[in-house]
Amino acid sequence: MRQGVGFEATKARDELAAYLDDHPEIRAEADVMVSNAIAAEMQKINTERYGPPPGA
């Protein structure tokens, strides 16, 4: 049976959390990188759905 995207995202999140538990010295940097990646993906999705932002 094929696992869905939600399962894969949950697994990735859990694996990242476990890794960061073992490497707390990089948690802040990892949080910034993940936040930036999410923001970039949301911008991409919004541009595909609604077009470029005004003035772009």
Side-chain angles (χ1 to χ4, degrees):
M1 180 176 175
R2 184 171 180 266
Q3 300 292 337
V5 173
F7 172 81
E8 293 171 9
T10 299
K11 182 180 177 205
R13 181 202 61 210
D14 292 347
E15 289 175 355
L16 176 60
Y19 183 83
L20 293 175
D21 286 345
D22 291 339
H23 301 88
E25 70 279 4
I26 65 167
R27 182 175 291 278
E29 184 179 358
D31 287 344
V32 169
M33 292 175 69
V34 170
S35 294
N36 287 344
I38 291 170
E41 187 63 22
M42 291 305 300
Q43 184 174 4
K44 177 183 164 191
I45 290 168
N46 285 336
T47 299
E48 289 171 357
R49 287 186 185 167
Y50 308 111

